Amino acid sequence: MGVATVSAGRIYVGQLAGKTGEEFQLSWETFPHVALSKTYNTDAQVADSAGTACAFLSGVKTKAGVVGLDNHVERGNCASTESAAVDSIVHLSQRAGKSTGIVTTARVTHATPAAAYARCPERDWESNSDIPEEEAALGCKDIALQLVENATEVQVVLGGGRREFMPNTTADPQNKKYFGKRTDKRNLIDEWVALRPENTTQYVYNKGQFDDIDTDKIDYLLGLFDHTHMDYESERDTSYDGDPSLEEMTEKAIEILKKNEKGYFLMVEGARIDHGHHNGQAYDALNELNQLHLAVAKAKEMTSEDDTLIIVTADHSHTFSFGGYPDRGNPILGLVNTGVGSDGLPYTTLAYANGPGANKVSHSFNATNQRPNNTGVDTENKDYEQDALVPLALETHAGEDVAIYATGPMAHLFHGVHEQNYIMHVMKYASCVGYNKEHCEIVDNGTNDATVHYPTFLTFIISISVLLIQRFSDL
């Protein structure tokens, strides 16, 4: 979710509300502190989501494709992981007695959520069947197994990806044509539930079950709502057998986690903004941004800036552009209404530097030496692929800086241009976890007694997009 996505998304959401759009403010655009984040990986000028997530969650920049490990690791090499493990803000929060949660519209074992709890030299090792035998023999565990065995105190886990937790002999409960991926015969969903107190633990896999949860009674919640990634909002089934929205998952997570007097950390990822861009479909990217807008608004409504730091940022950008000279209020997904290209053909306000949209362009050039003629084409349709320059099966990430928006305690520490790993150090400092906690002790006037303040975090890292929420409570 680069700046172009935020700007175009602002107009899109504003136009959904019946406005011209340009004057609209997204829920995080009211935050008082803004900075920029440099997103490169240690071995990549344009980053991937694993290395960037490791940076903002663990405070250490690392290579593309690895999670929870520092730069000494070699991607896909289990032997290289020795002494390379790093602690994430989730690990530190748990050790401080805080509650922790993960919400995503991707698989909960996908790169960004995985970086919150797992340590793995290959982001794609989500299930045991993904790991080469020779690497598994060296002791590397798949990411789903680590969520169960290594992160037993993550209290709330909501997203997609049931297949990574189910045996390959077990049919998916919502769609019997799909089966699990695990070849070790383990059902990690059952194991996750069995590790927690029976009366306060619940597993759900559809919206109806999710809606019926009594958050006053449930302290541990695992929700896996799809075989793989959750559906785009434009395709989401809202019935009992369907999926909850990102906003609904955010609300439920906060209701459960806020019961801890020591505070909590919650990461909320609007993952499918990224997926919409990869498919070259601006409609889905911006529609998913709207869902993040609603989730952040819900988080703001449920928390106080006096004790809750909310950060909204992105792990990386995309090759998404927003240009031409359209009139004020022109449909953001539409054609530029003030002219045509020098070839006499209309063009859209939004486009990509590369991606699947270039395949139709290349075909047209080969046949007629002309761009596709979008006259009469419904460019606002959710399945429309914006024109692109370089033909690729999937559009790529982009390398420019992304924004950081923050409000609440210590939000002022975001200013200027930061290395991406700086984000985690602000969260750690603000929430009084890890080292350097002297500032957390406040002596009351007239006494010698120190009160230690332990905050909470709510982080939205967007762009995969994420909301990191940390609420600060007194002990």
Side-chain angles (χ1 to χ4, degrees), residues 292-352:
L292 188 75
H293 158 71
L294 296 173
V296 175
K298 177 58 67 174
K300 288 173 62 178
E301 174 190 321
M302 297 179 69
T303 60
S304 168
E305 64 179 10
D306 293 335
D307 66 3
T308 305
L309 172 61
I310 301 181
I311 304 166
V312 178
T313 189
D315 50 0
H316 54 71
S317 184
H318 278 265
T319 69
F320 182 64
S321 69
F322 169 16
Y325 295 103
D327 287 336
R328 172 82 180 271
N330 191 59
I332 191 64
L333 293 168
L335 298 171
V336 172
N337 65 343
T338 55
V340 296
S342 58
D343 55 5
L345 297 177
Y347 62 101
T348 54
T349 304
L350 305 178
Y352 292 93

Side-chain angles (χ1 to χ4, degrees), residues 198-239:
E198 181 179 359
N199 295 331
T200 60
T201 300
Q202 194 163 347
Y203 163 67
V204 297
Y205 65 81
N206 62 32
K207 178 172 167 51
Q209 297 169 343
F210 175 84
D211 290 343
D212 289 341
I213 292 167
D214 185 344
T215 55
D216 289 333
K217 298 179 180 178
I218 296 300
D219 295 326
Y220 300 90
L221 175 61
L222 174 63
L224 299 175
F225 301 107
D226 269 281
H227 174 67
T228 180
H229 300 308
M230 295 180 68
D231 288 337
Y232 286 112
E233 181 64 22
S234 61
E235 301 168 354
R236 183 170 68 91
D237 177 0
T238 60
S239 71

Side-chain angles (χ1 to χ4, degrees), residues 395-468:
E395 180 267 352
T396 72
H397 298 167
E400 73 269 18
D401 297 350
V402 297
I404 307 168
Y405 307 85
T407 187
M410 301 295 173
H412 66 278
L413 295 177
F414 292 108
H415 53 82
V417 180
H418 300 295
E419 295 288 353
Q420 192 167 40
N421 54 310
Y422 174 80
I423 295 170
M424 185 271 199
H425 294 282
V426 173
M427 294 192 292
K428 181 171 67 173
Y429 183 80
S431 59
C432 301
V433 299
Y435 60 87
N436 191 12
K437 295 186 289 189
E438 292 80 6
H439 64 285
C440 303
E441 298 184 3
I442 301 174
V443 179
D444 295 333
N445 290 332
T447 74
N448 292 319
D449 297 327
T451 300
V452 183
H453 293 262
Y454 290 96
T456 301
F457 264 106
L458 180 50
T459 306
F460 285 84
I461 308 266
I462 303 167
S463 88
I464 307 205
S465 312
V466 184
L467 157 78
L468 305 173

Side-chain angles (χ1 to χ4, degrees), residues 151-168:
T152 55
E153 293 308 312
V154 179
Q155 288 181 229
V156 177
V157 180
L158 300 174
R162 282 191 298 263
R163 69 184 191 185
E164 318 298 337
F165 297 82
M166 296 166 48
N168 60 1

Side-chain angles (χ1 to χ4, degrees), residues 7-30:
S7 300
R10 172 197 309 139
I11 295 173
Y12 175 79
V13 178
Q15 291 180 345
L16 288 180
K19 304 176 184 295
T20 59
E22 295 84 2
E23 74 289 353
F24 192 78
Q25 279 190 308
L26 296 167
S27 52
W28 57 83
E29 292 187 306
T30 61

Side-chain angles (χ1 to χ4, degrees), residues 346-368:
Y347 62 101
T348 54
T349 304
L350 305 178
Y352 292 93
N354 60 44
N359 293 319
K360 59 184 180 182
V361 175
S362 296
H363 176 76
S364 177
F365 274 133
N366 291 337
T368 65

